[in-house]
Amino acid sequence: MLDIINAAGWPVWLLITTSVLCLAVIIERFLALRASVVFPARLPAQALDMLRQGKLGAEGLIRLSDQAPLGHVLAEVLMNRDETNGYRVAAAEDAGKDVAYRLNRYLPALSTIAVVAPLLGLFGTVIGMIEIFGSYTPAGGDPSQLARGISIALYNTAFGIIIAIPALVFHRYFRSRVEQYLHRMEREASALNRIINRGARA
């Protein structure tokens, strides 16, 4: 591996740094976007029990909100249970925007890496081309410098593509997962809101 890094020249260190950042973001998002963290299965039933039992004090709502992003949305609906339907819907939508912002955190970094990595690879290719042209002199070419220039150009191009592909794939994957979570949260919030509306009319 060290031989490859040496053959790729100093521009490859930019790509190595980018790859480390990419891997860190992917691992962090995998942990943060687990279903058990974002959408615990017990929370809708817990929120419904709180409503039916009248345990809607500030402390209980704060605990519900802090458990998970879904809990934050459901707690907002319960907190505004005595308001009009339109007000509750608007409050839930605002809470959903806050949750969407948190769930999408760092995803722009992945899309940026997917764009920047090939450009860094292209930069390494240019450096390699400079090495190649620098190997030629009026007396002839230096084969070792020519070979080094080719290595720099090809390795950096390959590394840039290798980094960009998983960055783009995981960016799309995480975006899809976030959209799925938000859709499910909207459905759960709407269901809880309808129950509150039926109770108000009863």
Side-chain angles (χ1 to χ4, degrees):
M1 188 64 183
L2 290 176
D3 291 338
I4 294 176
I5 293 175
N6 290 331
W10 66 265
V12 79
W13 287 106
L14 299 174
L15 288 165
I16 291 174
T17 302
T18 303
S19 68
V20 170
L21 292 174
C22 181
L23 182 61
V25 171
I26 289 172
I27 292 174
E28 191 278 338
R29 287 292 85 189
F30 256 124
L31 296 176
L33 295 178
R34 288 173 297 167
S36 59
V37 173
V38 178
F39 206 96
R42 69 183 185 280
L43 272 187
Q46 181 181 343
L48 185 57
D49 287 342
M50 291 175 63
L51 176 64
R52 288 173 174 171
Q53 297 174 12
K55 297 179 180 179
L56 298 172
E59 184 177 344
L61 291 175
I62 291 174
R63 280 201 305 269
L64 177 65
S65 178
D66 291 343
Q67 285 188 50
L70 172 62
H72 179 65
V73 176
L74 296 180
E76 193 70 25
V77 175
L78 293 176
M79 190 180 303
N80 293 282
R81 62 194 177 279
D82 295 327
E83 304 292 342
T84 63
N85 178 68
Y87 189 94
R88 274 196 308 275
V89 170
E93 289 177 350
D94 288 342
K97 291 176 183 177
D98 292 337
V99 168
Y101 177 80
R102 286 189 290 172
L103 296 182
N104 282 300
R105 185 172 53 179
Y106 303 136
L107 294 190
L110 276 182
S111 64
T112 301
I113 290 172
V115 173
V116 169
L119 296 179
L120 291 176
L122 180 60
F123 173 72
T125 302
V126 172
I127 298 299
M129 296 298 293
I130 292 173
E131 291 272 349
I132 292 172
F133 286 117
S135 68
Y136 289 98
T137 64
D142 183 353
S144 63
Q145 189 174 354
L146 174 63
R148 176 167 175 74
I150 293 174
S151 295
I152 292 174
L154 294 180
Y155 276 126
N156 280 276
T157 301
F159 285 160
I161 295 172
I162 288 172
I163 294 169
I165 291 174
L168 180 60
V169 169
F170 279 106
H171 175 262
R172 297 288 179 87
Y173 170 72
F174 289 137
R175 282 289 300 273
S176 175
R177 179 176 284 194
V178 168
E179 289 175 2
Q180 179 187 5
Y181 284 148
L182 293 176
H183 175 68
R184 292 176 63 186
M185 287 181 195
E186 182 179 358
R187 291 180 59 186
E188 293 293 345
S190 296
L192 183 59
N193 186 50
R194 287 194 297 271
I195 292 173
I196 293 174
N197 283 333
R198 286 201 299 269
R201 289 195 298 268

